[in-house]
Amino acid sequence: MLRDKPTQTSQSAIGKVATNITGDSNSYDSHDINIYQPVSSGPHRPLTKTLMYKLLQIMISSTEPTGEDFPLTPPPPIEKKLIYNHAPRYLNIINEYSENYARLDSVIKEFPDSEAIIQRLNKMFVNVADVRDDGKLCVGNGDAQLKLIENEIYNMIVNDASFQADEVPEEIINQFCVALIAVAVAKCRVLLRPGDDDAAA
């Protein structure tokens, strides 16, 4: 599981992150965003498309197909959703590994039932989201919610019968979990939209 990193000196940086995804789940608008970015602790092993494909195969093998469609309303930028949902830690983590997020979104489109994976993450979010007395979802501790989802993805992978621990280092699994969460947040299946406390985003 992704472990908390030691506190480090931080700096402000301009990051290029693909954040605006249209309702067809196939196109993006990228723009510069001025966000808080942690100083990297050093080079990290890249999450390759081959490893992403292998981990996605494990996810899809344990996920039921779904006929649900993605919402057509254009989603807000991912950084705005993370800030609105009180997830500054994951804002920094996702930004640090933004190349994984962009690469995974490209790979996941090769799966005919990729929507089922994203919908499963939506269900994970609903299970950990804060709920008002009337049963409606509301903004809570986004960092804690995303950590629970990350742990669940991690456990799905490492406990799958086809998973071979000697072939995929823990660091790679951690990066994959964060990248998959970023894709689900960007596709509006995890966390709430800014200003909308009445339904799952």
Side-chain angles (χ1 to χ4, degrees):
M1 289 168 232
L2 191 66
R3 292 171 175 78
D4 290 341
K5 298 179 181 178
T7 302
Q8 300 175 3
T9 304
S10 303
Q11 64 184 14
S12 178
I14 299 292
K16 187 89 169 180
V17 182
T19 55
N20 247 350
I21 300 179
T22 61
D24 62 4
S25 304
N26 290 320
S27 58
Y28 306 82
D29 291 323
S30 296
H31 58 84
D32 289 328
I33 52 175
N34 187 12
I35 61 176
Y36 172 90
Q37 181 178 19
V39 176
S40 176
S41 56
H44 51 266
R45 181 173 175 177
L47 185 53
T48 65
K49 287 189 175 183
T50 300
L51 284 170
M52 287 178 172
Y53 194 89
K54 180 181 296 185
L55 295 175
L56 284 171
Q57 283 182 315
I58 292 176
M59 291 283 296
I60 202 69
S61 68
S62 61
T63 301
E64 292 292 329
T66 176
E68 297 180 64
D69 296 324
F70 290 111
L72 296 178
T73 306
I78 188 172
E79 74 277 4
K80 289 186 178 180
K81 284 189 70 178
L82 291 166
I83 292 170
Y84 178 74
N85 286 270
H86 309 304
R89 179 181 297 276
Y90 274 86
L91 172 63
N92 294 328
I93 294 172
I94 289 171
N95 185 60
E96 183 175 2
Y97 295 95
S98 59
E99 73 278 6
N100 289 337
Y101 155 60
R103 191 176 298 120
L104 179 60
D105 188 79
S106 174
V107 173
I108 202 171
K109 292 172 186 171
E110 298 177 16
F111 286 80
D113 293 322
S114 60
E115 292 88 353
I117 296 176
I118 305 303
Q119 292 290 0
R120 182 156 189 174
L121 267 70
N122 174 253
K123 292 179 181 177
M124 291 180 187
F125 168 63
V126 171
N127 288 337
V128 301
D130 286 21
V131 183
R132 300 192 316 220
D133 291 340
D134 61 3
K136 301 287 183 64
L137 301 185
C138 61
V139 170
N141 186 332
D143 273 332
Q145 293 166 355
L146 294 181
K147 184 61 178 178
L148 290 171
I149 294 172
E150 181 187 339
N151 291 346
E152 188 168 350
I153 298 169
Y154 179 94
N155 289 328
M156 279 181 62
I157 293 170
V158 300
N159 292 322
D160 189 271
S162 65
F163 177 71
Q164 298 180 346
D166 57 333
E167 294 184 1
V168 186
E170 183 178 9
E171 175 196 355
I172 294 298
I173 305 172
N174 291 337
Q175 290 185 42
F176 173 81
C177 293
V178 171
L180 187 56
I181 286 173
V183 171
V185 170
K187 291 181 182 293
C188 281
R189 305 312 293 159
V190 169
L191 298 181
L192 301 180
R193 291 173 181 266
D196 184 7
D197 284 310
D198 295 327

